Amino acid sequence: MNLSQRLSIFFITNIIWFVGSILGATWRYRFEGDETYNPKINKVSNTVYCFWHAQQLLFAFGFGGYNVYTIVSASRDGTIVAEVARRWGQGIIRGSSSRKGVSALRECVRVLDKGNNIAITPDGPRGPVYKVKPGVVEIAHLAHAPIVAVSARPSRYWQLTSWDNFIIPKPFATIAITFHAPITLPLIELSPTLIQDTCRAIEKALTS
């Protein structure tokens, strides 16, 4: 990465962080579902959270500083996302299914084994949108961690024409956050059927 690219990332990161911080300060969060796994209320450990790629901004701002590590793509855009999320208090794990996948998986398991939590956008970093990839199931199985699907419904928002239909809540929006019942994997070898069924269960929770 040359100097021009570094400066570009620096300025874009600062703009997104500044605007997002001002905007996010006006949002109000309302919690629903199983709040046992709400890190804002309870001390949670060794848990894998899932939410759609389109809702990254809502969670990056609202759940910084609560012992949650976020998996962010190793791409240039991922660098911007990682720096913004880090400023909001989230731990960062770089990698994805397409870049640094194996090292990211190992780092996720290590982080979970230490009692931390991780957040994954299972349809990222490049889609297909609203389709859960098996990586989240494999990580949870290796770390013996429950999977908690978390969905969000902002009362008012803008939606970009990006591949993921990225959502930006409008000023003073109320964001309803639902923590769905945890999905616990059996301590047996993962089969293709088990992975597929678990992915479908996550998709159903996130779209309900």
Side-chain angles (χ1 to χ4, degrees):
M1 188 180 299
N2 58 38
L3 179 60
S4 176
Q5 291 172 322
R6 291 179 184 275
L7 287 173
S8 175
I9 289 174
F10 174 79
F11 285 116
I12 293 172
T13 297
N14 277 278
I15 291 170
I16 293 175
W17 172 80
F18 181 74
V19 174
S21 295
I22 292 175
L23 189 60
T26 71
W27 300 338
R28 296 294 177 266
Y29 287 85
R30 185 178 76 244
F31 300 111
E32 303 171 352
D34 188 351
E35 292 198 38
T36 303
Y37 288 90
N38 184 345
K40 278 180 169 284
I41 297 175
N42 298 307
K43 184 176 175 59
V44 183
S45 63
N46 193 44
T47 298
V48 177
Y49 293 100
C50 290
F51 52 87
W52 292 134
H53 198 271
Q55 300 174 340
Q56 285 185 94
L57 180 60
L58 290 69
F59 291 102
F61 180 82
F63 289 87
Y66 289 93
N67 199 33
V68 178
Y69 284 69
T70 300
I71 300 177
V72 180
S73 167
S75 66
R76 177 182 179 276
D77 288 346
T79 297
I80 295 170
V81 172
E83 288 305 311
V84 173
R86 188 178 285 114
R87 289 193 182 192
W88 284 333
Q90 290 205 351
I92 301 296
I93 298 171
R94 300 301 303 274
S96 66
S97 58
S98 56
R99 298 184 66 184
K100 298 184 179 179
V102 174
S103 62
L105 186 149
R106 290 174 178 168
E107 181 65 10
C108 286
V109 174
R110 187 187 69 81
V111 166
L112 288 165
D113 285 344
K114 287 189 174 183
N116 301 296
N117 309 292
I118 63 170
I120 300 176
T121 55
D123 59 341
R126 293 181 294 185
V129 66
Y130 307 141
K131 290 295 181 182
V132 174
K133 296 176 183 175
V136 58
V137 181
E138 294 167 357
I139 291 169
H141 183 260
L142 288 170
H144 307 303
I147 300 170
V148 176
V150 189
S151 54
R153 300 188 314 278
S155 58
R156 304 183 307 149
Y157 59 90
W158 295 289
Q159 192 161 30
L160 305 184
T161 57
S162 54
W163 70 265
D164 60 352
N165 304 315
F166 195 82
I167 290 173
I168 304 174
K170 292 184 177 181
F172 303 101
T174 297
I175 303 171
I177 303 289
T178 301
F179 292 87
H180 297 274
I183 299 172
T184 304
L185 296 165
L187 299 178
I188 58 175
E189 184 177 353
L190 284 177
S191 66
T193 300
L194 179 57
I195 293 174
Q196 186 177 56
D197 288 347
T198 305
C199 288
R200 286 176 177 169
I202 297 169
E203 286 177 11
K204 182 179 179 180
L206 290 178
T207 54
S208 62

